[in-house]
Amino acid sequence: MNTTAGPASAGHDGPVRAPDGPVDEACTARATVDAHGAVSTWSRGAELLLGYGCADVVGLPAARLLADGQLAGAPRSLRALPRWSGTVELLHRDGHRVPVRLLAHRRRSAGEGDAGEQWLLFCSRTPPSPAQDDALVVSAFSRSPTTMALYDTGLRLRRANADMERVVGLPEEAMRGLRVTEIVTDPESERTEAGMRRALETGEPQYLRHTLQLTGHSRESVWTTTLTPVRDGAGVVRGVALSSQDVTEEHLARSRLVLLNDAGVRVGTTLDLARTAQELADVAVPRFADFVTVDLLPAVEGGDDPPAGPPPGPVMLRRLAAQSILEGCPEAVVEYGALAAYPDGSPAAECLAADRPLIRAVTESAIGAWETRDTADRADRVREYGFHSVLAVPMRARGITLGVATFSRHRRPEPFVRDDLLLGEEITARAAVCIDNARRYARERRTSLTLQRSLLPQRLPRQAGVDVASRYLPASAQAGVGGDWFDVIPLSGARVALVVGDVVGHGVRASAAMGRLRTAVRTLADVDLPPEELLTHLDDLVLHLSAEADTAAPGGDMGATCLYAVYDPVSRRCAVARAGHPVPVLATPDGRVTLLDVPAGPPLGLGGLPFEATEIELPEGSLLALYTDGLVEAPGRDIDEGVDTLREVLARPAPSLESLCDAVVRALPPERAADDVALLIARTRALDGDHVVTWDVPCDPSAVAAARGNVSRLLADWGLDAATFVTELVVSELVTNAIRYGGPPIQLRLIRDHDLICEVSDGSGTTPHPRRARTFDEGGRGLLLVARLSAGWGTRQTSAGKTIWAELRLPAG
C-alpha cells in the first residue's frame, strides 16, 4: 500500500527502481490528496499517465487535473464514505482527456481530526485485456484439481477439465456434446441430470452425494457434486457447472467411526453371555462383514479362567452367536450352543495360537489346509457361498483369551485390509470385555479393570530423547484393580517427562482418583514446572480431593505416591523428584546398575512438607526404570530382595526394551499379585551437534538479519531448504521480540528432530502474550504469526530468564 504523507513531505512515493519481482510499481498511478484538496504525493506511474512531474502538481489543487473540474457521478459529499470508485476523465499535460477507472480510499491520521484526513488515489495504467482474462480462466478450469465440467442448457457437455477426463476415463473430445446419462451409464447419472434440470429451472445450486462404480475402478467410490447455474452478464442462465469431489476415504473413515460408536452403544447392554455375543455379530453385519460367528472356549461359559497359553489343536470352541447378510444364516453349519473342533490351519485356530488378529484370503489351497472329515461340511459351505476373505480376531479381556470372533465376506467384493483389522480388533475387544464382565458377574467378581485400562496411555508417543516401553499388570480379581499409572509427556525443546504414580487403595474410586491425578500431572507439565514444584502443586490437589471425598463419604481420605523425571537429550541431564515413591533404577552402558539418590519426599496428601529434586547427567544409552511398589513387593519377599532382582534383570543384555519389560515381568510379580504393577523403562538418547545448533545473539536490532542468515545456511546444510522461508519468519519474530522486550543474554537454538524446534532465550522473566493488533498498529502481530506458522509454541522459565519455543512441521520427504 502507498505510504501517505502530508504537504511537508510532498514528493514521489520514493525513488523509482526496478521491481524486486513480477510487480511493476509504475503500472499503477498513485497520488495522495490532503484535507485541503491539494496533491501531497505523486508517483512515477502518475507522471507516466498524465505527463506531469512531481514538482508540477504537488501542492496544487487536485481539481485542476479533472477534465470537468469535478468527479462525475460521485456523491455531493465524500466525507461519510470510506472509499469511492468510479470512471473519471483527467487532463493530460498536453491537453487531451484521459479516461480512467479511479479507486479512492479515505484515511485519517489518529488524533488530528479532519486536518489529518487524506485520500489515496489509485488507477491502473495497463489493465489486463479481456482476452488475457479469458485465457487465464480457461487454463485455471482445465488444471483445477477438482473434477469439473460445463454443460449447456440442453444438458450437453461443452467443456471438461483434466480431472474429469481422468475420473471418467475419456478424453474431452469423446464427451463433448453428450449428456451425462450418455457419458456414464449409471443410475446415479439420472439423478445428476435431474439435478441439472432443477438448477436450470430454479436458478439455485443443487447439491448431490453419489455412490458410484466407475469404469476401471475396483470398488465403489463416494462423491459430492455441486451443480451451479452459469449466468451471462445479463443474468440469464446459459448452462450448468458441475464440480465433484471424491470423498471415499472420508466416507470410509466416518463409517468406521460410526460403526465403532455403535459397537460401544449396542454391545454389552446386559450381563448375558449369549446376548452380548449376538450383539457383536449384529453390529458387524452388514456394514463390516457378510457373515459373523462368535465362538468361546468351553471354560468361559462356566465362568472359569481358561488354561494359560494357546489352546492345543484342534481347538474346541462353542458357538455362541452368528449373523448373516442372508436370512436364516444359511452359511452356518455349527448350531448355536454346539461344540465344534477347529483344526490347525483354520483361521480361528491360527489366530488363537498366534494370539493376534489375522486376515486370510479364502482360496482352494487355504481351505484344503484345514479341511478334514469332521470339517468337510463347513468347507463345502464356504465353497458354495463363495467366501473370499476372512478376518479372525481372538477375544481377549483382562489377559484371558475367551474365544474368537470370525468376520467373513462373500457378497462384498472388497477383501479385508489393515484398517478393517484394526476396526475388527477394536469392536471385538469391546465385546470381549462385556463378555468377561458377564463371566465375572456370574462368579460375583466384577472389577474396575476396564476403567483402569482406559485411563492409562493407550500408546506411548515417540520421543527424540528416549525410547520407552511399558507394562501394566492389574491386581488379581479378588484384590480389585488399584490406582497405578504411568505416562510419557512431551515437553518443549525435545525434552520428555517420565511419570509413575500409585493411588492408595483399590477399586473404582482408586481408578478415578488415578485418572484425575494423571490429568493434573499432564496439565502441570504443560506449563513446564520443575519436578519439585510440580509435586508441590500435586500435593495441594490431593489435599483438596481428600477434603471433597471426606465430605461426600467420611473416611474417604486419599493418598498417593508419585515420581516425576524430566530428561533433556541436548544436555543429557535428568531432573528427578519423588513423593514417597520407590527409587528409580539406573543402568548405564558400562554395565553398572544403581539406585538413583533421590530425596524421598513425603507421600502426596500430607501437605506442608517440601519436595527436593536431584539432577544428574546420564550417558547416552542409559536405562532408567520407573515402577510402582507392586513390582518389587510380594508376600513372603522383602522389598529389597525385589529391588535386587530388578537390578539383576536390568544388567542382562536384551534385544529390545519390550523384551526387557517382558523379562522384568516374568522375574518379579507373582502370578496372582495383590497389587497393580506399573513399569516404565526408558533408554536415553542424545542430540549432538548434527541436530542442535546454538548462536549467541547481540541485543541489537541489526542482529535479526544475521540470525536469519545463520538459520538459512544451517537449513541448507541440513537439506531442509523447503523449511527456510517459514523458519526465517519465525526466527525473525522471536529474535525481534527478545531484543525489543527482553534483555541479554539472548540465544537462538535450532533442534532438528522429526520436527524442527526453534528456541530463543533472553534474560527477561516476563512471559509474552499474543494480542490482537488493530488495523493500523505497526506491531503486535509477531506472536500471532508464530502461532499460525508453527505446530505449537510456548514459553518456559529458566534460571537465567525465559525461553520462547516454536515447533515447525518439516515438509514430507
Side-chain angles (χ1 to χ4, degrees), residues 112-295:
E112 296 187 21
D114 293 342
E117 184 177 276
Q118 292 180 330
W119 285 89
L120 278 68
L121 310 179
F122 299 91
C123 68
S124 175
R125 293 179 46 243
T126 56
S129 68
Q132 290 174 320
D133 288 345
D134 291 345
L136 185 62
V137 170
V138 170
S139 177
F141 176 86
S142 176
R143 291 172 171 79
S144 171
T146 302
T147 303
M148 299 179 68
L150 183 63
Y151 293 81
D152 60 21
T153 53
L155 303 184
R156 298 192 175 276
L157 186 137
R158 299 288 296 273
R159 296 299 299 266
N161 72 345
D163 200 60
M164 182 73 170
E165 295 176 324
R166 178 189 63 81
V167 171
V168 178
L170 293 171
E172 183 186 60
E173 293 77 12
M175 297 184 285
R176 187 175 295 137
L178 298 179
R179 294 161 53 187
V180 68
T181 53
E182 297 165 342
I183 298 171
V184 179
T185 57
D186 186 283
E188 290 295 322
S189 63
E190 297 180 1
R191 285 186 59 220
T192 303
E193 191 164 284
M196 290 182 178
R197 291 194 185 98
R198 287 194 299 271
L200 291 174
E201 293 167 359
T202 65
E204 299 292 335
Q206 304 295 313
Y207 305 96
L208 303 176
R209 187 179 181 90
H210 304 286
T211 300
L212 304 174
Q213 181 67 57
L214 297 173
T215 303
H217 294 250
S218 61
R219 68 178 185 181
E220 290 184 334
S221 54
V222 180
W223 295 77
T224 58
T225 299
T226 302
L227 305 170
T228 306
V230 179
R231 303 175 187 272
D232 61 14
V236 178
V237 176
R238 296 298 186 184
V240 179
L242 179 150
S243 62
S244 295
Q245 187 169 359
D246 187 354
V247 294
T248 304
E249 293 303 322
E250 294 88 337
H251 172 76
L252 292 176
R254 189 179 297 110
S255 298
R256 294 186 183 105
L257 289 175
V258 170
L259 178 58
L260 189 59
N261 180 69
D262 286 351
V265 173
R266 294 172 52 186
V267 177
T269 59
T270 70
L271 289 171
D272 180 81
L273 275 174
R275 183 168 178 178
T276 301
Q278 189 61 49
E279 288 168 344
L280 170 61
D282 292 343
V283 80
V285 175
R287 290 182 291 175
F288 185 62
D290 299 326
F291 180 60
V292 177
T293 60
V294 180
D295 301 281

Side-chain angles (χ1 to χ4, degrees), residues 649-727:
V649 175
L650 293 177
R652 302 170 194 157
S656 67
L657 290 181
E658 294 292 338
S659 60
L660 182 58
C661 283
D662 291 337
V664 171
V665 169
R666 285 194 300 267
L668 280 168
E671 185 173 343
R672 293 190 175 274
D675 197 2
D676 291 11
V677 172
L679 172 65
L680 182 64
I681 299 180
R683 177 181 287 118
T684 63
R685 293 190 290 182
L687 296 179
D688 54 20
D690 293 334
H691 295 80
V692 182
V693 176
T694 303
W695 297 277
D696 292 325
V697 180
C699 193
D700 188 326
S702 63
V704 177
R708 288 198 302 266
N710 290 334
V711 168
S712 177
R713 286 186 293 273
L714 176 63
L715 294 182
D717 293 340
W718 281 348
L720 301 177
D721 299 271
T724 300
F725 178 73
V726 172
T727 307

